[in-house]
Amino acid sequence: MAAYALIVAAGKGVRAGGGVPKQYRPILGQPLLCRSIASLAQLDGIQTVISPDGEADYEAAIAHLPDHIKAKLLPHVFGGTTRQQSVLNGLNALKSHEPDYVFIHDAARPFVPQDALERLLNALQSHIGAIAALPVADSLKRGADCIEDDVDRTGLWRAQTPQAFRFKDILSAHLNAAADGRDDFTDDAGVARAYGHDVAFVRGDETIFKVTEPQDFARAEAHIMQHLNDTRTGQGFDVHRLIPADHMWLCGVKIDGTLGLEGHSDADAGLHALTDAILGAIGEGDIGQHFPPTDPKWKGARSDAFLAHAVQLVHDMGGIISHCDITLICERPKIGPHRPAMQARVAEILNVRHNRVSIKATTTEKLGFTGRGEGLAALAIATIRLPWCDNM
Ligand code: MG
């Protein structure tokens, strides 16, 4: 039985603030939409529906996804002027894949526990549709400034997504609604019921909350942090020979002058040490294993690609980079004037805020190879946080 996800991400999401639509805003370095996609990645395929205005944001966002999830993404389709039209566009696109089931999900709900998906799937054995929902626990009141009425909460539920359906039935219900010119449904369960299908409740989860207001981003970050309780530290060290040249690359910044660094790649000792520190923290060997200096492919390579690879490995494990500290050891060049640019560039590659990156410099009082100006050394420490997992 094939079960596909349909993720509706065509909204403008302006209430959350922040300039870009909320589905593309990062939560701890990963766009909200990517987290929603990842939460449904155990299904057989994922159809996204986006706004034509958001196509560039979408392409940039999904670049963050690990390969095994990217492989499940079907080509995106564009939404309509209402959520209902967007869902119908997505369902039409899924037709050729002949799904048995479809799980229709809001992009703004980044966390879906796997057991909620299993409850939905089980419910579809005996129902046309099923939705994740929670019984209302608070007392309900109606009114504007003052309470005008008490509302009986007995039998009331808060509807979440995913809302799961047998594919053919929800497609025909949506087609009928479109043919009838009805666009007043707030969710897909409403469409299904209007065309005669029963829809069951399954127990939802408080973690399937919708990110709507600015403070919901903080809540989402707190939710992730709660599970990132495996704190790791890695160290890195690198040296490259100083040679006469008109520029060098150091911590991702081009420094013009009379000195260069000798090496197979761009010889950016700062980024090499940091890449090794991150690889060390996740037990992934060292930079030479991932990018062998014997491989002509890496001749002259820019080291920001090496670092970005290490960062991607951390993200693939569901982790974040908490902090890094780089110490550059040399008499020349003077690091001070370049420090802000280095901090900004490293933060950009790591996709973290500036204050999570430290760049320091020291000399060795003219002692040793760095003191004699023969070479430049770099030390780095990286702290990362991963979800605790003994199988990892
Ligand atoms: Mg090196």
Side-chain angles (χ1 to χ4, degrees):
M1 291 298 222
Y4 281 66
L6 195 173
I7 299 182
V8 195
K12 300 236 180 297
V14 287
R15 258 187 297 171
V20 289
K22 67 177 175 188
Q23 59 270 38
Y24 302 118
R25 270 183 62 185
I27 299 174
L28 292 175
Q30 201 174 20
L32 169 56
L33 175 60
C34 290
R35 295 191 178 274
S36 307
I37 288 172
S39 74
L40 298 182
Q42 74 164 42
L43 299 179
D44 297 301
I46 301 165
Q47 176 67 58
T48 50
V49 185
I50 65 167
S51 155
D53 306 339
E55 199 168 23
D57 287 329
Y58 177 75
E59 296 292 352
I62 61 169
H64 289 263
L65 288 168
D67 289 343
H68 72 277
I69 297 180
K70 268 188 209 144
K72 293 215 170 166
L73 270 183
L74 307 174
H76 62 271
V77 294
F78 293 131
T81 51
T82 63
R83 183 186 183 282
Q84 202 181 313
Q85 279 179 18
S86 297
V87 171
L88 179 55
N89 292 356
L91 291 171
N92 277 325
L94 277 171
K95 257 191 302 192
S96 61
H97 301 277
E98 300 182 355
D100 297 292
Y101 305 124
V102 59
F103 286 59
I104 304 173
H105 186 55
D106 294 333
R109 298 181 192 268
F111 311 114
V112 182
Q114 297 309 298
D115 55 357
L117 293 181
E118 278 154 32
R119 286 193 289 275
L120 288 165
L121 205 50
N122 284 337
L124 291 180
Q125 309 311 307
S126 47
H127 299 273
I128 298 288
I131 70 166
L134 288 170
V136 172
D138 297 317
S139 294
L140 293 178
K141 312 287 180 192
R142 181 178 288 114
D145 299 324
C146 294
I147 300 170
E148 290 159 20
D149 213 356
D150 290 291
V151 179
D152 182 7
R153 68 173 181 230
T154 312
L156 290 185
W157 297 71
R158 289 187 284 138
Q160 301 180 315
T161 73
Q163 301 194 340
F165 303 91
R166 296 183 191 172
F167 181 76
K168 286 186 179 136
D169 296 298
I170 192 65
L171 174 61
S172 77
H174 265 278
L175 288 169
N176 284 329
D180 292 345
R182 292 197 57 182
D183 60 2
D184 52 328
F185 297 103
T186 59
D187 67 359
D188 305 289
V191 179
R193 290 190 61 257
Y195 292 91
H197 302 307
D198 66 325
V199 179
F201 290 124
V202 305
R203 187 163 48 80
D205 198 293
E206 289 295 350
T207 63
I208 315 180
F209 66 90
K210 192 170 186 176
V211 175
T212 305
E213 307 289 338
Q215 63 268 26
D216 296 330
F217 278 88
R219 183 181 174 193
E221 290 191 357
H223 174 77
I224 296 164
M225 291 306 289
Q226 192 187 328
H227 298 280
L228 295 181
N229 45 12
D230 186 357
T231 304
R232 309 278 196 91
T233 305
Q235 66 165 347
F237 175 68
D238 196 31
V239 170
H240 282 269
R241 182 184 294 277
L242 281 164
I243 52 171
D246 62 3
H247 75 275
M248 72 167 66
W249 285 94
L250 196 56
C251 290
V253 171
K254 188 177 179 214
I255 301 177
D256 292 319
T258 57
L259 287 171
L261 289 167
E262 188 178 56
H264 185 67
S265 65
D266 66 6
D268 187 330
L271 293 192
H272 291 183
L274 180 55
T275 303
D276 262 354
I278 293 172
L279 293 174
I282 57 174
E284 276 288 334
D286 62 31
I287 193 169
Q289 281 172 260
H290 291 264
F291 306 98
T294 48
D295 187 338
K297 188 162 68 170
W298 307 118
K299 183 159 173 51
R302 288 287 305 282
S303 300
D304 47 6
F306 302 160
L307 181 56
H309 172 74
V311 173
Q312 186 65 50
L313 292 176
V314 173
H315 289 167
D316 289 357
M317 295 167 87
I320 60 161
I321 291 163
S322 184
H323 173 256
C324 74
D325 187 14
I326 299 173
T327 302
L328 301 169
I329 306 167
C330 59
E331 300 289 331
R332 286 192 308 147
K334 290 286 170 227
I335 302 303
H338 306 287
R339 194 199 315 253
M342 289 174 169
Q343 188 185 26
R345 179 62 188 134
V346 172
E348 184 180 31
I349 302 167
L350 300 184
N351 202 6
V352 299
R353 295 196 182 105
H354 289 197
N355 64 3
R356 295 187 179 278
V357 174
S358 160
I359 310 280
K360 307 201 301 295
T362 188
T363 69
T364 48
E365 300 290 336
K366 303 236 172 349
L367 296 169
F369 72 87
T370 55
R372 291 188 296 272
E374 295 164 9
L376 178 149
L379 293 160
I381 285 184
T383 306
I384 67 162
R385 291 178 61 161
L386 297 178
W388 189 273
C389 177
D390 271 336
N391 306 326
M392 206 173 250

